[in-house]
Amino acid sequence: MASIGQIIFWSMIVLIFVMAGIIILLLAIAFSVSQGSVVTNTPFPVGNLGKDVMLGCKFQTKTGQISSSVSITWQKDGLTGVVYQYQNNGVHLQDQNPQFKNRVTLFPDVITTGNASLLLRTVRMEDEGVYRCSVTASGVTGSASIRLRVGAFSAPNITRSENNSLAANAPRWLPKPDVTWLDLNGSQLNSSTQFSTLTMGIVQVTSNLQVQVTDGIYTCIIQNALVTALSTATVTGNGVSTTTDFTFNSSPNIMKSHVISTSFILFCMLVR
């Protein structure tokens, strides 16, 4: 049996290790805060082919004050050179990768507010990948990573057909989506959908509701692994008015199916 002295000795050893761990943790937190931070609010954005996309990046110094001597470098994993570089109050593109020539820009007027976001114009399939925003300035040093995913999506045009039903036509989607129609109660309605293949694997979506409609609200959902378009069609008389909301799958795994539950759809319909 251990003596009282041994118990006290080992208790002190354990206490010393615990206190050392707490001190190391506090020092790590203090060091992190003292170095400021570089973050993104959109780590998995989706770019729409042929359109512009914003890659968000913000930074904050340890004092909250941002001087004009800020260095911002954007790079893309797997590519040589830089995507964009800003330092000494000017743009430096000598080492820019040719893929991004005349297609990217920062916003110099808001850099001193901590905004290092990058605008990428006319998105291409080869733009997909991981980007890194690195910031160095007095009171801040760090980087944030953003994984850009690329596809195609568009809001459908919903019209009333000759057989007193509804038809939805969306000109461009990639990857190929699923289409679902719901009534006001969230019950699924019968429909038929056709896809016409365009360039680069993009498909045109034509979906016809196979029931006659009366005045009321109907929902058409077009979704793939990247994007969901929830379109609400309000039928009154012979007219149809449509609103569409886009939501983006926040998962980094673009092959994982993105499914909206009926309860969520009903919620979106009720809060309109």
mmCIF file of all heavy atoms in Angstrom, residues 6 9 25 36 39 56 73 82 88 111 115-116 122 142 166 170 200 202 204 211 215-217 219 221 235 245:
data_model
loop_
_atom_site.group_PDB
_atom_site.id
_atom_site.type_symbol
_atom_site.label_atom_id
_atom_site.label_comp_id
_atom_site.label_asym_id
_atom_site.label_seq_id
_atom_site.Cartn_x
_atom_site.Cartn_y
_atom_site.Cartn_z
ATOM 1 N N GLN A 6 3.913 9.119 -0.709
ATOM 2 C CA GLN A 6 3.903 8.738 -2.122
ATOM 3 C C GLN A 6 2.645 9.261 -2.826
ATOM 4 O O GLN A 6 2.691 9.709 -3.972
ATOM 5 C CB GLN A 6 3.983 7.216 -2.242
ATOM 6 C CG GLN A 6 5.342 6.643 -1.874
ATOM 7 C CD GLN A 6 5.338 5.137 -1.892
ATOM 8 O OE1 GLN A 6 4.374 4.506 -1.452
ATOM 9 N NE2 GLN A 6 6.423 4.550 -2.388
ATOM 10 N N PHE A 9 3.122 12.867 -3.434
ATOM 11 C CA PHE A 9 4.119 13.076 -4.498
ATOM 12 C C PHE A 9 3.497 12.889 -5.879
ATOM 13 O O PHE A 9 3.636 13.739 -6.761
ATOM 14 C CB PHE A 9 5.288 12.105 -4.295
ATOM 15 C CG PHE A 9 6.272 12.123 -5.429
ATOM 16 C CD1 PHE A 9 7.211 13.149 -5.538
ATOM 17 C CD2 PHE A 9 6.253 11.124 -6.402
ATOM 18 C CE1 PHE A 9 8.109 13.165 -6.593
ATOM 19 C CE2 PHE A 9 7.153 11.140 -7.455
ATOM 20 C CZ PHE A 9 8.086 12.163 -7.558
ATOM 21 N N LEU A 25 -2.159 25.425 -23.611
ATOM 22 C CA LEU A 25 -3.384 25.737 -24.346
ATOM 23 C C LEU A 25 -3.652 27.234 -24.356
ATOM 24 O O LEU A 25 -3.979 27.812 -25.398
ATOM 25 C CB LEU A 25 -4.565 24.990 -23.718
ATOM 26 C CG LEU A 25 -5.946 25.255 -24.350
ATOM 27 C CD1 LEU A 25 -5.949 24.826 -25.817
ATOM 28 C CD2 LEU A 25 -7.033 24.522 -23.576
ATOM 29 N N GLY A 36 -3.778 37.565 -35.396
ATOM 30 C CA GLY A 36 -4.919 37.896 -36.230
ATOM 31 C C GLY A 36 -5.498 36.635 -36.855
ATOM 32 O O GLY A 36 -5.179 35.513 -36.456
ATOM 33 N N VAL A 39 -9.950 34.115 -42.732
ATOM 34 C CA VAL A 39 -11.054 33.159 -42.765
ATOM 35 C C VAL A 39 -11.860 33.324 -44.051
ATOM 36 O O VAL A 39 -11.732 34.319 -44.776
ATOM 37 C CB VAL A 39 -12.003 33.349 -41.555
ATOM 38 C CG1 VAL A 39 -11.268 33.120 -40.248
ATOM 39 C CG2 VAL A 39 -12.626 34.741 -41.575
ATOM 40 N N GLY A 56 -14.673 34.070 -51.354
ATOM 41 C CA GLY A 56 -14.629 34.959 -50.198
ATOM 42 C C GLY A 56 -13.421 34.734 -49.308
ATOM 43 O O GLY A 56 -13.049 33.596 -49.010
ATOM 44 N N THR A 73 -1.982 37.002 -51.508
ATOM 45 C CA THR A 73 -1.631 36.094 -52.598
ATOM 46 C C THR A 73 -2.679 34.996 -52.704
ATOM 47 O O THR A 73 -2.986 34.322 -51.715
ATOM 48 C CB THR A 73 -0.250 35.451 -52.379
ATOM 49 O OG1 THR A 73 0.742 36.479 -52.263
ATOM 50 C CG2 THR A 73 0.109 34.540 -53.549
ATOM 51 N N VAL A 82 0.921 32.101 -59.560
ATOM 52 C CA VAL A 82 -0.137 32.587 -58.680
ATOM 53 C C VAL A 82 -1.407 32.817 -59.484
ATOM 54 O O VAL A 82 -1.383 32.960 -60.707
ATOM 55 C CB VAL A 82 0.281 33.899 -57.976
ATOM 56 C CG1 VAL A 82 1.528 33.689 -57.144
ATOM 57 C CG2 VAL A 82 0.485 35.026 -58.991
ATOM 58 N N ASN A 88 2.339 45.941 -51.635
ATOM 59 C CA ASN A 88 2.873 47.301 -51.767
ATOM 60 C C ASN A 88 1.912 48.212 -52.532
ATOM 61 O O ASN A 88 2.313 48.986 -53.411
ATOM 62 C CB ASN A 88 4.243 47.285 -52.456
ATOM 63 C CG ASN A 88 5.272 46.500 -51.669
ATOM 64 O OD1 ASN A 88 5.273 46.521 -50.436
ATOM 65 N ND2 ASN A 88 6.141 45.786 -52.372
ATOM 66 N N ILE A 111 -9.794 46.543 -49.296
ATOM 67 C CA ILE A 111 -8.738 45.746 -48.664
ATOM 68 C C ILE A 111 -8.457 46.248 -47.255
ATOM 69 O O ILE A 111 -8.260 45.462 -46.319
ATOM 70 C CB ILE A 111 -7.461 45.766 -49.526
ATOM 71 C CG1 ILE A 111 -7.672 44.919 -50.786
ATOM 72 C CG2 ILE A 111 -6.263 45.233 -48.736
ATOM 73 C CD1 ILE A 111 -6.503 44.933 -51.746
ATOM 74 N N ASN A 115 -11.054 42.907 -46.426
ATOM 75 C CA ASN A 115 -11.673 42.095 -47.477
ATOM 76 C C ASN A 115 -10.631 41.741 -48.533
ATOM 77 O O ASN A 115 -10.128 42.611 -49.240
ATOM 78 C CB ASN A 115 -12.834 42.859 -48.115
ATOM 79 C CG ASN A 115 -13.693 41.977 -49.006
ATOM 80 O OD1 ASN A 115 -13.233 40.963 -49.522
ATOM 81 N ND2 ASN A 115 -14.950 42.355 -49.179
ATOM 82 N N ALA A 116 -10.309 40.440 -48.635
ATOM 83 C CA ALA A 116 -9.340 39.966 -49.626
ATOM 84 C C ALA A 116 -10.004 39.045 -50.645
ATOM 85 O O ALA A 116 -9.343 38.213 -51.271
ATOM 86 C CB ALA A 116 -8.193 39.233 -48.933
ATOM 87 N N THR A 122 -16.170 34.510 -65.713
ATOM 88 C CA THR A 122 -16.426 33.526 -66.774
ATOM 89 C C THR A 122 -15.885 32.148 -66.380
ATOM 90 O O THR A 122 -14.925 31.639 -66.957
ATOM 91 C CB THR A 122 -15.798 33.978 -68.109
ATOM 92 O OG1 THR A 122 -16.016 35.374 -68.290
ATOM 93 C CG2 THR A 122 -16.429 33.225 -69.268
ATOM 94 N N GLY A 142 -1.580 34.511 -42.185
ATOM 95 C CA GLY A 142 -2.335 33.264 -42.233
ATOM 96 C C GLY A 142 -2.931 33.040 -43.601
ATOM 97 O O GLY A 142 -2.709 33.814 -44.541
ATOM 98 N N LEU A 166 -48.888 22.098 -66.085
ATOM 99 C CA LEU A 166 -47.729 22.980 -66.004
ATOM 100 C C LEU A 166 -46.518 22.328 -66.659
ATOM 101 O O LEU A 166 -46.336 21.109 -66.589
ATOM 102 C CB LEU A 166 -47.396 23.306 -64.543
ATOM 103 C CG LEU A 166 -48.428 24.115 -63.757
ATOM 104 C CD1 LEU A 166 -47.964 24.292 -62.312
ATOM 105 C CD2 LEU A 166 -48.675 25.475 -64.400
ATOM 106 N N ALA A 170 -35.820 24.480 -68.076
ATOM 107 C CA ALA A 170 -34.590 25.070 -67.546
ATOM 108 C C ALA A 170 -33.486 24.846 -68.574
ATOM 109 O O ALA A 170 -33.182 23.701 -68.917
ATOM 110 C CB ALA A 170 -34.219 24.436 -66.214
ATOM 111 N N MET A 200 -20.496 20.372 -73.670
ATOM 112 C CA MET A 200 -19.795 20.169 -72.401
ATOM 113 C C MET A 200 -20.600 19.337 -71.407
ATOM 114 O O MET A 200 -20.384 19.409 -70.198
ATOM 115 C CB MET A 200 -19.428 21.518 -71.763
ATOM 116 C CG MET A 200 -18.539 22.392 -72.620
ATOM 117 S SD MET A 200 -18.259 24.021 -71.893
ATOM 118 C CE MET A 200 -17.451 23.566 -70.358
ATOM 119 N N ILE A 202 -23.665 19.690 -70.631
ATOM 120 C CA ILE A 202 -24.786 20.439 -70.060
ATOM 121 C C ILE A 202 -26.087 19.931 -70.672
ATOM 122 O O ILE A 202 -26.147 19.616 -71.860
ATOM 123 C CB ILE A 202 -24.620 21.948 -70.335
ATOM 124 C CG1 ILE A 202 -23.360 22.466 -69.646
ATOM 125 C CG2 ILE A 202 -25.841 22.726 -69.870
ATOM 126 C CD1 ILE A 202 -23.029 23.905 -69.981
ATOM 127 N N GLN A 204 -30.398 20.461 -71.141
ATOM 128 C CA GLN A 204 -31.601 21.286 -71.029
ATOM 129 C C GLN A 204 -32.695 20.419 -70.433
ATOM 130 O O GLN A 204 -32.887 19.271 -70.839
ATOM 131 C CB GLN A 204 -32.022 21.813 -72.398
ATOM 132 C CG GLN A 204 -33.290 22.654 -72.365
ATOM 133 C CD GLN A 204 -33.648 23.198 -73.740
ATOM 134 O OE1 GLN A 204 -32.795 23.321 -74.604
ATOM 135 N NE2 GLN A 204 -34.919 23.514 -73.935
ATOM 136 N N VAL A 211 -50.778 16.143 -64.329
ATOM 137 C CA VAL A 211 -52.101 16.303 -63.718
ATOM 138 C C VAL A 211 -52.628 17.676 -64.103
ATOM 139 O O VAL A 211 -51.858 18.609 -64.349
ATOM 140 C CB VAL A 211 -52.037 16.179 -62.174
ATOM 141 C CG1 VAL A 211 -51.581 14.798 -61.759
ATOM 142 C CG2 VAL A 211 -51.130 17.248 -61.580
ATOM 143 N N ASP A 215 -56.347 26.723 -59.598
ATOM 144 C CA ASP A 215 -55.688 27.860 -58.960
ATOM 145 C C ASP A 215 -55.064 27.414 -57.642
ATOM 146 O O ASP A 215 -55.703 26.756 -56.816
ATOM 147 C CB ASP A 215 -56.692 28.980 -58.697
ATOM 148 C CG ASP A 215 -57.111 29.679 -59.984
ATOM 149 O OD1 ASP A 215 -56.654 29.250 -61.059
ATOM 150 O OD2 ASP A 215 -57.892 30.643 -59.906
ATOM 151 N N GLY A 216 -53.805 27.756 -57.452
ATOM 152 C CA GLY A 216 -53.107 27.339 -56.235
ATOM 153 C C GLY A 216 -51.606 27.425 -56.419
ATOM 154 O O GLY A 216 -51.106 28.039 -57.368
ATOM 155 N N ILE A 217 -50.887 26.788 -55.503
ATOM 156 C CA ILE A 217 -49.427 26.850 -55.493
ATOM 157 C C ILE A 217 -48.847 25.462 -55.739
ATOM 158 O O ILE A 217 -49.249 24.481 -55.105
ATOM 159 C CB ILE A 217 -48.911 27.407 -54.152
ATOM 160 C CG1 ILE A 217 -49.391 28.850 -53.967
ATOM 161 C CG2 ILE A 217 -47.384 27.357 -54.091
ATOM 162 C CD1 ILE A 217 -49.017 29.449 -52.632
ATOM 163 N N THR A 219 -44.959 23.360 -56.566
ATOM 164 C CA THR A 219 -43.511 23.493 -56.399
ATOM 165 C C THR A 219 -42.783 22.541 -57.332
ATOM 166 O O THR A 219 -43.099 21.350 -57.392
ATOM 167 C CB THR A 219 -43.090 23.190 -54.946
ATOM 168 O OG1 THR A 219 -43.760 24.091 -54.066
ATOM 169 C CG2 THR A 219 -41.592 23.354 -54.770
ATOM 170 N N ILE A 221 -38.955 21.183 -58.076
ATOM 171 C CA ILE A 221 -37.617 21.107 -57.497
ATOM 172 C C ILE A 221 -36.675 20.461 -58.506
ATOM 173 O O ILE A 221 -36.893 19.330 -58.941
ATOM 174 C CB ILE A 221 -37.610 20.280 -56.202
ATOM 175 C CG1 ILE A 221 -38.621 20.838 -55.207
ATOM 176 C CG2 ILE A 221 -36.216 20.257 -55.585
ATOM 177 C CD1 ILE A 221 -38.954 19.889 -54.094
ATOM 178 N N VAL A 235 -50.573 29.623 -59.543
ATOM 179 C CA VAL A 235 -51.504 29.583 -60.670
ATOM 180 C C VAL A 235 -52.757 30.370 -60.309
ATOM 181 O O VAL A 235 -53.419 30.089 -59.305
ATOM 182 C CB VAL A 235 -51.875 28.128 -61.021
ATOM 183 C CG1 VAL A 235 -52.871 28.096 -62.181
ATOM 184 C CG2 VAL A 235 -50.625 27.329 -61.361
ATOM 185 N N ASP A 245 -35.668 29.964 -55.730
ATOM 186 C CA ASP A 245 -34.584 30.128 -54.762
ATOM 187 C C ASP A 245 -33.558 29.025 -54.986
ATOM 188 O O ASP A 245 -33.916 27.855 -55.158
ATOM 189 C CB ASP A 245 -35.105 30.051 -53.325
ATOM 190 C CG ASP A 245 -36.023 31.216 -52.980
ATOM 191 O OD1 ASP A 245 -35.714 32.341 -53.398
ATOM 192 O OD2 ASP A 245 -37.042 30.995 -52.293
#
